[in-house]
Amino acid sequence: MLALRCDGTSPEVSLLAQGGDSRLSGFWRPLRYFSLARVVVAGVLLVYPRLMRTAFGIGSGVDGATFVAAAIGYMIAAIVMLLISRPGRFRLETLVFMQVTVDLTALAILIYAGRGVSDGLAVLLLLPNAGAAILIGQRSALFFAALSSIGLMLIAVSQWLRGEATELAIAQAGLIGAALLVMVLIVGRLAAMLSAQERLAARRGQDLLNQLSVTQAVISELHDGVLVLGDRGEVRAINRSARVMLAAVEGDDALPGLPSLWSALQRPVSLDPSPSLIVSPDSNGESDDMRPMSAGRVVTFSVLPGANQPERLLRARQLDLPAGGRDTVVVVEDLGRLERRAQQLKLASMGRLSASIAHEIRNPLAAIRHANGLLSERLDGPAQQRLAGIVEDNCVRINRIIEDVLSISRRGSAAPEPIAAAAFLSRVIAEYVLQSGADPARVECRIESDRPIWFDAGNLRQIILNLLGNALRHSSLAPGAVRITWSRESGASTLSVSDDGPGVPQSVREHLFEPFLTTEARGTGLGLHLTRELCNANAARIRYLPAGDNPPVRSQFIIEPALPPAGHDR
């Protein structure tokens, strides 16, 4: 569920990942705690002589002036260390060395000015040594523990030589020193283990961030909607497709379809339709949309986006979560899109089947046409010649349909190249006029731009022939009735084929480029479909502009070629 949240990553995870940059980068907060504890200890030491004298009657053997001066100096140093214990001013290791050095020096003076090892102040050495073991590692901490032990032994021996302590004080100093070394070893080992765990957690955190980023990118680009709902139907996470399906307005967080979805999920299971399979066959009888829907509960519901918008039928699948999960994960699918996908796959299968059938028809058709040609040579009567002509005309028509079907099925990848517009268009027009026997005066070619046409030459030739044939069939016999124009306006180059005919009826404009759509009794309905497919193969656009929108009154097909690659002339 966290992978669906596209508003940023978790702050805790980010900090954890940043902590993996250095082994010590996570110890700034413990350093602050140790610095604060040092201030507290210094404050207690300021009142220590008076407290000991009034509470326990201990006061002999204490150099009060030295003790108080050392305590005041320690307090000042502790406050300064607390203020500078922040990232950016000093390296953490440097601060720790400074603080431990100050601690050991101040505590040695205080122990010496007090009653020595027997006064109990030696236990305060645990704080700086433990801090060193945690913050800068076991090896450096052992060095400070050894210095502490040596300092205690020197203080004890000095007091014994002056007769202020017995041999027991020396033994106590040795035991305390040994305890410091053991404590440093144990604490250092534990700190090293915790540091290793922190680095491991930081690496895992970074891996988690990477995984979340990948998951977010994948889910956000899914055609299916994915959303997470709370126990009251509130949205906890949602991807872009689900927001579009539930009819959210662009830039608005409102989801008008959410109540319908939540209501459908709350209905009893027996009332919910449960389609188990969406069948969308392709060439192998399978498709991406043929997937079982048995994992989780399936419901269907409808959404009315708003005024003047059609109702949208959706299907939601509630995923099964492990026991204890309170949220609901729902996958939403647009049944209209699935139906369109199924229709596209069916059309693709039919296209391949049609191409196969057309290829098989081609050979017997050629034989029929050849036999009819031979037979017509021996026929003398006008009626018989007319019948032979009918056979020939229909053979030509069938052959034309076969050629169109095979052209669509054989369309491969295009190889765009710069084409000189004037020479190319003149050559194609002359070729069509020669083959069709049309009057050359009816076709006018205008070159209003010196830019080359960036297109596959073979594809462009087929497009011009298709559009030119349609224009000549529906135009008048006047000179210049059909006009082919290559122009450049507002930085964009366009190739248009226009005529002075009545244009395409309003009733068929919406389906103009669909296959097998024709308004002509002898047409195949594949010419414009093939033209659009060839334009798509060259990353070009084709559109139809009715006569009323283009004064003077001429309807036209406009082709917008793709821009040439960088470094080529535009």
Side-chain angles (χ1 to χ4, degrees):
M1 287 182 292
L2 182 60
L4 297 176
R5 302 185 185 274
C6 300
D7 55 350
T9 56
S10 173
E12 292 80 2
V13 177
S14 299
L15 290 175
L16 186 61
Q18 293 173 3
D21 296 339
S22 171
R23 187 185 69 85
L24 300 176
S25 60
F27 290 139
W28 285 102
R29 182 173 295 179
L31 177 63
R32 295 277 295 174
Y33 292 154
F34 277 112
S35 300
L36 184 60
R38 183 179 296 105
V39 174
V40 174
V41 170
V44 173
L45 289 175
L46 283 175
V47 299
Y48 177 78
R50 183 179 299 275
L51 180 64
M52 290 293 99
R53 187 179 302 111
T54 57
F56 303 102
I58 301 174
S60 59
V62 177
D63 186 352
T66 304
F67 193 95
V68 172
I72 293 174
Y74 188 39
M75 170 62 79
I76 296 174
I79 294 175
V80 172
M81 292 297 176
L82 177 62
L83 295 177
I84 66 175
S85 296
R86 300 178 183 276
R89 297 184 179 181
F90 297 95
R91 295 180 63 234
L92 188 138
E93 298 95 328
T94 303
L95 285 174
V96 173
F97 272 95
M98 293 169 55
Q99 292 183 3
V100 174
T101 301
V102 171
D103 288 341
L104 296 184
T105 302
L107 290 177
I109 296 174
L110 291 170
I111 294 172
Y112 181 80
R115 294 169 57 92
V117 178
S118 60
D119 204 11
L121 292 178
V123 72
L124 296 178
L125 293 171
L126 291 174
L127 178 63
N129 284 281
I134 294 174
L135 296 175
I136 58 176
Q138 191 179 68
R139 181 175 300 179
S140 299
L142 284 174
F143 169 74
F144 286 115
L147 288 181
S148 301
S149 301
I150 294 172
L152 286 178
M153 291 296 296
L154 291 177
I155 293 174
V157 171
S158 174
Q159 290 181 332
W160 176 70
L161 291 177
R162 295 199 310 267
E164 297 176 0
T166 62
E167 290 82 355
L168 181 60
I170 299 177
Q172 289 179 344
L175 289 175
I176 294 175
L180 287 176
L181 292 172
V182 173
M183 182 271 298
V184 165
L185 289 173
I186 295 174
V187 173
R189 179 60 179 169
L190 293 176
M193 293 174 61
L194 290 176
S195 179
Q197 291 297 322
E198 182 185 14
R199 293 195 297 273
L200 178 61
R203 289 196 297 270
R204 294 293 183 266
Q206 188 62 48
D207 293 341
L208 177 61
L209 285 177
N210 295 335
Q211 183 177 2
L212 291 180
S213 300
V214 173
T215 305
Q216 288 173 3
V218 171
I219 293 181
S220 64
E221 295 300 326
L222 288 177
H223 291 294
D224 294 340
V226 180
L227 68 160
V228 181
L229 302 178
D231 52 2
R232 296 183 180 180
E234 68 275 12
V235 177
R236 297 186 179 273
I238 185 170
N239 71 341
R240 182 167 51 244
S241 296
R243 188 174 294 278
V244 172
M245 291 180 190
L246 296 178
V249 180
E250 185 69 23
D252 189 0
D253 293 334
L255 298 174
L258 184 61
S260 300
L261 170 60
W262 185 246
S263 176
L265 292 174
Q266 300 306 306
R267 291 200 302 261
V269 178
S270 58
L271 299 179
D272 294 331
S274 301
S276 60
L277 194 66
I278 292 293
V279 180
S280 302
D282 58 8
S283 58
N284 299 320
E286 300 178 353
S287 85
D288 295 338
D289 293 323
M290 292 182 61
R291 53 184 182 276
M293 297 294 294
S294 59
R297 180 184 175 200
V298 178
V299 298
T300 57
F301 64 101
S302 59
V303 174
L304 186 60
N308 301 324
Q309 296 188 25
E311 186 180 34
R312 184 182 295 122
L313 185 62
L314 303 176
R315 179 177 65 179
R317 175 161 51 99
Q318 180 179 347
L319 302 184
D320 293 332
L321 298 180
R326 299 181 57 185
D327 293 338
T328 302
V329 181
V330 183
V331 178
V332 183
E333 297 172 305
D334 189 344
L335 292 181
R337 186 185 69 84
L338 295 180
E339 292 176 359
R340 290 191 297 272
R341 173 63 176 165
Q343 184 66 18
Q344 291 174 357
L345 294 174
K346 290 178 182 178
L347 289 176
S349 299
M350 292 178 60
R352 284 188 284 269
L353 178 62
S354 300
S356 177
I357 295 175
H359 182 72
E360 294 298 327
I361 293 176
R362 198 174 190 180
N363 291 333
L365 179 64
I368 292 173
R369 188 177 180 185
H370 180 68
N372 181 68
L374 294 177
L375 182 61
S376 62
E377 295 178 356
R378 300 184 179 182
L379 298 178
D380 299 328
Q384 295 176 337
Q385 287 289 342
R386 185 172 63 86
L387 292 176
I390 293 175
V391 173
E392 175 66 16
D393 291 342
N394 283 276
C395 286
V396 171
R397 181 184 176 189
I398 295 174
N399 187 68
R400 180 184 171 193
I401 296 175
I402 292 174
E403 290 293 339
D404 288 343
V405 171
L406 293 179
S407 296
I408 295 175
S409 63
R410 292 171 178 173
R411 181 177 62 86
S413 58
E417 58 180 326
I419 301 174
F424 180 83
L425 294 177
S426 299
R427 185 167 60 252
V428 173
I429 294 173
E431 176 185 349
Y432 183 85
V433 167
L434 180 62
Q435 292 179 353
S436 64
D439 183 4
R442 295 176 59 195
V443 182
E444 178 184 359
C445 182
R446 292 184 178 182
I447 307 298
E448 300 175 358
S449 173
D450 58 351
R451 302 289 184 180
I453 306 176
W454 190 261
F455 226 93
D456 182 278
N459 292 347
L460 184 60
R461 172 185 172 276
Q462 184 66 41
I463 291 172
I464 297 299
L465 292 177
N466 289 342
L467 296 179
L468 186 58
N470 285 341
L472 287 173
R473 282 194 299 271
H474 296 92
S475 64
S476 67
L477 299 178
V482 177
R483 183 182 302 156
I484 300 179
T485 305
W486 170 246
S487 61
R488 180 181 178 88
E489 296 180 3
S490 302
S493 299
T494 59
L495 178 64
S496 64
V497 179
S498 61
D499 62 82
D500 60 358
V504 178
Q506 177 69 35
S507 58
V508 298
R509 289 178 189 173
E510 184 178 353
H511 309 283
L512 185 59
F513 295 98
E514 293 183 2
F516 306 111
L517 177 69
T518 180
T519 58
E520 189 179 355
R522 302 178 62 85
T524 66
L526 294 174
L528 290 180
H529 175 69
L530 176 60
T531 298
R532 186 184 63 176
E533 292 298 309
L534 294 176
C535 287
N536 292 338
N538 289 268
R541 293 179 53 200
I542 182 171
R543 54 190 173 91
Y544 174 73
L545 192 63
D549 298 334
N550 183 38
V553 181
R554 296 182 74 94
S555 61
Q556 61 179 332
F557 286 91
I558 300 176
I559 300 173
E560 300 176 2
L563 294 177
H568 291 79
D569 186 14
R570 293 174 182 253

